[in-house]
Amino acid sequence: QAQLVESGGGLVQPGGSLTLSCTASRRLFRDNTMGWYRQAPGKGRELVAEVTSDGNTNYEDSVKGRFTISRDNAKNMVFLQMNSLKPEDTAVYLCNALHPQWTGYVLGSWGQGTQVTVSS
Protein backbone atom coordinates (compact mmCIF):
# COMPACT_ATOMS: atom_id res chain seq x y z
CA GLN A 1 0.00 0.00 0.00
CA ALA A 2 1.40 3.37 -1.03
CA GLN A 3 2.16 5.76 1.79
CA LEU A 4 1.30 8.89 -0.17
CA VAL A 5 -1.02 9.33 -3.15
CA GLU A 6 -1.50 12.73 -4.77
CA SER A 7 -4.25 13.74 -7.19
CA GLY A 8 -6.04 16.72 -8.67
CA GLY A 9 -3.48 18.17 -11.04
CA GLY A 10 -4.11 19.17 -14.61
CA LEU A 11 -3.79 21.84 -17.26
CA VAL A 12 -5.14 25.26 -16.31
CA GLN A 13 -4.92 28.73 -17.80
CA PRO A 14 -3.08 31.53 -16.00
CA GLY A 15 -5.33 32.98 -13.32
CA GLY A 16 -7.15 29.69 -12.89
CA SER A 17 -7.58 27.46 -9.87
CA LEU A 18 -6.95 23.85 -8.89
CA THR A 19 -7.34 21.85 -5.71
CA LEU A 20 -4.85 19.08 -5.02
CA SER A 21 -5.48 16.17 -2.66
CA CYS A 22 -3.09 13.86 -0.86
CA THR A 23 -4.02 10.67 0.96
CA ALA A 24 -1.45 9.47 3.47
CA SER A 25 -1.08 6.35 5.54
CA ARG A 26 -2.33 6.73 9.09
CA ARG A 27 1.11 6.07 10.52
CA LEU A 28 2.65 8.82 8.42
CA PHE A 29 -0.12 11.36 8.86
CA ARG A 30 -0.91 11.18 12.55
CA ASP A 31 0.60 13.95 14.69
CA ASN A 32 2.97 15.08 11.92
CA THR A 33 3.26 18.34 10.07
CA MET A 34 2.30 17.70 6.46
CA GLY A 35 3.68 19.62 3.52
CA TRP A 36 3.12 20.18 -0.17
CA TYR A 37 6.25 20.29 -2.29
CA ARG A 38 6.81 20.98 -5.94
CA GLN A 39 9.50 20.21 -8.45
CA ALA A 40 9.75 22.03 -11.74
CA PRO A 41 11.79 20.67 -14.67
CA GLY A 42 15.49 21.19 -14.06
CA LYS A 43 14.94 22.50 -10.54
CA GLY A 44 15.15 21.09 -7.06
CA ARG A 45 12.20 20.14 -4.93
CA GLU A 46 10.86 22.99 -2.78
CA LEU A 47 8.42 23.12 0.10
CA VAL A 48 5.57 25.49 -0.73
CA ALA A 49 3.15 24.99 2.15
CA GLU A 50 2.92 23.16 5.43
CA VAL A 51 0.24 22.51 8.03
CA THR A 52 0.75 21.26 11.57
CA SER A 53 -1.41 18.61 13.21
CA ASP A 54 -3.44 21.35 14.93
CA GLY A 55 -3.89 23.42 11.78
CA ASN A 56 -1.19 26.07 11.86
CA THR A 57 0.07 26.90 8.38
CA ASN A 58 3.14 28.36 6.73
CA TYR A 59 3.79 29.26 3.09
CA GLU A 60 6.67 29.94 0.78
CA ASP A 61 6.71 33.62 -0.19
CA SER A 62 5.81 33.14 -3.85
CA VAL A 63 2.50 31.40 -3.03
CA LYS A 64 1.36 33.46 -0.04
CA GLY A 65 -2.12 34.83 -0.59
CA ARG A 66 -2.75 32.46 -3.51
CA PHE A 67 -2.43 28.94 -2.04
CA THR A 68 -4.23 27.51 0.98
CA ILE A 69 -3.21 24.27 2.67
CA SER A 70 -5.61 22.31 4.87
CA ARG A 71 -5.95 18.85 6.34
CA ASP A 72 -8.68 16.41 7.32
CA ASN A 73 -7.37 14.46 10.29
CA ALA A 74 -10.25 11.99 10.20
CA LYS A 75 -9.47 10.99 6.61
CA ASN A 76 -5.65 11.31 6.69
CA MET A 77 -5.81 13.79 3.83
CA VAL A 78 -4.08 17.05 2.97
CA PHE A 79 -5.34 19.57 0.44
CA LEU A 80 -3.82 22.45 -1.49
CA GLN A 81 -6.20 25.03 -2.90
CA MET A 82 -4.35 26.98 -5.59
CA ASN A 83 -5.77 30.23 -6.94
CA SER A 84 -4.45 32.87 -9.33
CA LEU A 85 -2.12 30.31 -10.85
CA LYS A 86 0.90 31.51 -12.80
CA PRO A 87 3.04 29.77 -15.44
CA GLU A 88 5.86 29.60 -12.90
CA ASP A 89 3.67 27.36 -10.72
CA THR A 90 4.04 24.62 -13.31
CA ALA A 91 5.59 21.61 -11.59
CA VAL A 92 4.97 18.15 -10.20
CA TYR A 93 3.36 18.57 -6.80
CA LEU A 94 4.00 16.06 -4.03
CA CYS A 95 3.09 15.76 -0.38
CA ASN A 96 4.97 14.31 2.57
CA ALA A 97 5.32 14.47 6.33
CA LEU A 98 8.03 16.80 7.59
CA HIS A 99 10.64 15.31 9.90
CA PRO A 100 9.98 16.76 13.37
CA GLN A 101 13.66 17.30 14.21
CA TRP A 102 15.63 17.49 10.95
CA THR A 103 14.84 20.49 8.77
CA GLY A 104 14.60 19.56 5.13
CA TYR A 105 13.98 15.89 5.76
CA VAL A 106 10.75 13.98 5.28
CA LEU A 107 9.35 10.86 6.87
CA GLY A 108 7.75 9.04 3.96
CA SER A 109 8.72 7.60 0.62
CA TRP A 110 7.83 9.97 -2.19
CA GLY A 111 4.73 9.23 -4.22
CA GLN A 112 4.25 9.81 -7.94
CA GLY A 113 3.03 13.35 -7.47
CA THR A 114 0.50 15.15 -9.61
CA GLN A 115 1.39 17.35 -12.57
CA VAL A 116 0.19 20.95 -12.61
CA THR A 117 0.64 22.83 -15.87
CA VAL A 118 -0.29 26.51 -16.11
CA SER A 119 -0.39 27.62 -19.71
CA SER A 120 -2.58 29.48 -22.15
Side-chain angles (χ1 to χ4, degrees), residues 56-74:
N56 292 315
T57 59
N58 194 31
Y59 298 91
E60 193 269 331
D61 285 346
S62 69
V63 307
K64 283 181 180 177
R66 300 189 298 122
F67 290 10
T68 302
I69 189 171
S70 61
R71 63 192 287 161
D72 185 331
N73 290 336

Side-chain angles (χ1 to χ4, degrees), residues 38-89:
R38 66 185 179 189
Q39 186 162 17
K43 295 186 178 181
R45 190 176 295 139
E46 64 172 344
L47 176 65
V48 296
E50 60 185 81
V51 57
T52 66
S53 58
D54 55 1
N56 292 315
T57 59
N58 194 31
Y59 298 91
E60 193 269 331
D61 285 346
S62 69
V63 307
K64 283 181 180 177
R66 300 189 298 122
F67 290 10
T68 302
I69 189 171
S70 61
R71 63 192 287 161
D72 185 331
N73 290 336
K75 297 181 178 179
N76 302 333
M77 294 187 71
V78 187
F79 306 96
L80 188 66
Q81 173 69 43
M82 305 186 296
N83 299 324
S84 303
L85 282 162
K86 304 175 181 180
E88 50 264 43
D89 295 318

